[in-house]
Amino acid sequence: MSVRIDIAGLRPERVAVVPSPLAELCMALHALSEPGHHPGLQGWVTGVTARLDSHLADRLCEADFLWRTTFADLFLPYAGIPGALPGATLAEELDLLDKLSDEQFVDAALEFSCALPYGLPGPGPLSDTDLRRRALELAAARGPRQLRFGERLLSDPPRIRAWLRQFLQDCDEAFFAETWSRLRHQLAADARHKTDLLRRRGLTEALASVSPAVTVDETAGVITIDKLGSGRTATAGRDLLLVPTSLGWPHLMVLHRYGWQPVLHYPVGSPELAAPPSVEQLTLRMTALSHPVRMRLCRSLARSAFTTSELAQIHGMTAPEISRHLGVLKKAGLITTRRRGRYVQHQLDVTVVARLGSDFLEGVLR
């Protein structure tokens, strides 16, 4: 599973690394709504929440489906405008948001909460009666608050657009302007570093510095982002945008909406290991541990190193049976093997197993 970006014919000057205050504001709203996704931001979340005006807090909940579970494309509006780049200020980016058509705005607002089509062309809920009905049915399943918002959005998009712009401006005044003044220097420095890598060493090395989950096959002209999901897009004469975030880890997001230019929204200064496990590796490890025999073997191997024959005797199994299970655990990277004279001993890699919980969480949130 992965998201792929076809970059055939992409010229180096069409790759831009630019911080985005609107994208960072959305990530701030996400962290406030889902602090469990961002344990490193607990102090910031507590401080902002404590001084947040109750009326603004209520409004934050009113449309939190735009940023709670994931990141709505509304907050990367330049991707929907040919030739546009992120603005230097939040006001500039809100102006870009205003340039999206009502159809673009509504489709992006309802995409995740109402499971609207994403990677394929087609009509939206403003023009398709069946899609409109389905959007409201799914909104109703998520509660009365989202149903009311969905009804207002579909019946009067300009009103909701004005509401959202005012809400974001109020958030900026209440807490984000101070946060952005602190973060923008780190983001600008990262953008300069990535741009320098692009110029001196090329796209492959620049993207390798974004995340180990991003790989480039320059011969095939494809960027692959290792994620627990599937999608495909192409630059096709458009820019490729890289947008850094200081608040985003562990999220590595790829905008691959049909007709919009691709955007890779990546965390900077993340605490991840140099080479976090791929989704395939994580799947292997979870599968390996799902078998009751292998779980019992792990119990023994966590305490000491054992040979295959010793494990066979302990667990009342044949040596070939034990070898097959050890092979699965070894392929998943869960055990280590060492030779002691003519004996080969196996032991559980406790460090790898201890990381599985955080690895799994990082994998599904990536």
Side-chain angles (χ1 to χ4, degrees):
M1 286 179 286
S2 62
V3 177
R4 296 188 174 190
I5 304 174
D6 184 343
I7 56 169
L10 179 67
R11 301 194 306 273
E13 63 269 19
R14 299 304 297 267
V15 182
V17 191
V18 189
S20 167
L22 181 56
E24 199 70 350
L25 173 52
C26 181
M27 195 53 72
L29 293 170
H30 170 69
L32 290 171
S33 299
E34 284 288 357
H37 288 193
H38 305 273
L41 298 179
Q42 291 290 346
W44 178 83
V45 169
T46 300
V48 171
T49 303
R51 66 177 190 269
L52 204 61
D53 174 80
S54 59
H55 179 57
L56 185 58
D58 288 341
R59 291 159 65 202
L60 189 150
C61 295
E62 188 172 348
D64 67 353
F65 58 86
L66 293 176
W67 50 74
R68 176 181 288 276
T69 57
T70 188
F71 191 109
D73 292 345
L74 285 178
F75 298 94
L76 303 168
Y78 29 83
I81 304 169
L85 292 173
T89 66
L90 181 63
E92 289 179 20
E93 294 202 324
L94 291 178
D95 289 342
L96 289 175
L97 182 59
D98 288 342
K99 290 182 180 180
L100 294 178
S101 68
D102 283 348
E103 288 76 13
Q104 287 177 304
F105 184 92
V106 171
D107 286 358
L110 294 179
E111 171 217 336
F112 291 108
S113 59
C114 296
L116 296 185
Y118 187 81
L120 299 172
L126 287 182
S127 56
D128 187 307
T129 303
D130 290 338
L131 203 55
R132 182 190 190 95
R133 182 171 59 252
R134 173 173 169 76
L136 290 177
E137 287 174 354
L138 292 172
R142 292 175 176 262
R145 174 178 284 158
Q146 183 161 329
L147 175 59
R148 287 194 299 271
F149 194 92
E151 289 172 337
R152 289 160 52 203
L153 177 63
L154 288 167
S155 63
D156 192 357
R159 177 185 174 195
I160 293 299
R161 299 180 70 150
W163 180 94
L164 181 62
R165 178 171 183 132
Q166 186 60 58
F167 169 74
L168 296 173
Q169 289 172 331
D170 291 345
C171 288
D172 185 49
E173 183 178 345
F175 66 87
F176 183 69
E178 177 186 347
T179 301
W180 179 249
S181 68
R182 175 172 52 86
L183 299 179
R184 62 187 179 89
H185 303 292
Q186 180 193 24
L187 296 178
D190 183 82
R192 287 193 298 270
H193 173 62
K194 298 290 191 298
T195 301
D196 186 53
L197 279 177
L198 279 166
R199 279 198 297 257
R200 291 189 299 107
R201 300 188 178 181
L203 184 62
T204 298
E205 288 208 32
L207 288 180
S209 72
V210 164
S211 169
V214 182
T215 57
V216 182
D217 183 338
E218 294 199 47
T219 302
V222 174
I223 299 170
T224 301
I225 301 92
D226 185 52
K227 288 176 67 69
L228 201 61
S230 300
R232 193 167 192 118
T233 187
T235 50
R238 297 168 296 187
D239 293 337
L240 172 65
L241 295 180
L242 309 182
V243 177
T245 169
S246 289
L247 302 177
W249 188 87
H251 305 300
L252 174 64
M253 302 186 185
V254 189
L255 189 158
H256 54 98
R257 175 179 292 279
Y258 180 83
W260 292 39
Q261 61 184 323
V263 180
L264 185 60
H265 188 242
Y266 66 93
V268 302
S270 67
E272 67 185 8
L273 296 179
S278 67
V279 171
E280 182 182 3
Q281 289 173 314
L282 184 58
T283 303
L284 278 175
R285 290 173 182 175
M286 302 291 280
T287 302
L289 293 175
S290 68
H291 196 288
V293 171
R294 291 193 284 271
M295 288 184 67
R296 291 197 298 273
L297 288 176
C298 286
R299 186 175 188 275
S300 300
L301 296 171
R303 288 161 171 76
S304 183
F306 289 95
T307 66
T308 300
S309 58
E310 287 174 327
L311 290 169
Q313 185 176 8
I314 292 169
H315 294 276
M317 300 173 66
T318 66
E321 287 175 323
I322 293 294
S323 293
R324 284 195 295 272
H325 287 296
L326 290 176
V328 173
L329 293 170
K330 186 173 183 179
K331 184 178 180 181
L334 296 172
I335 62 173
T336 58
T337 300
R338 65 190 180 194
R339 181 172 289 278
R340 290 288 185 267
R342 63 190 184 92
Y343 297 103
V344 176
Q345 295 180 319
H346 313 280
Q347 190 162 17
L348 190 70
D349 191 330
V350 177
T351 303
V352 171
V353 177
R355 268 190 52 85
L356 266 179
S358 58
D359 282 344
F360 178 73
L361 185 61
E362 180 183 334
V364 297
L365 292 179
R366 186 185 297 158

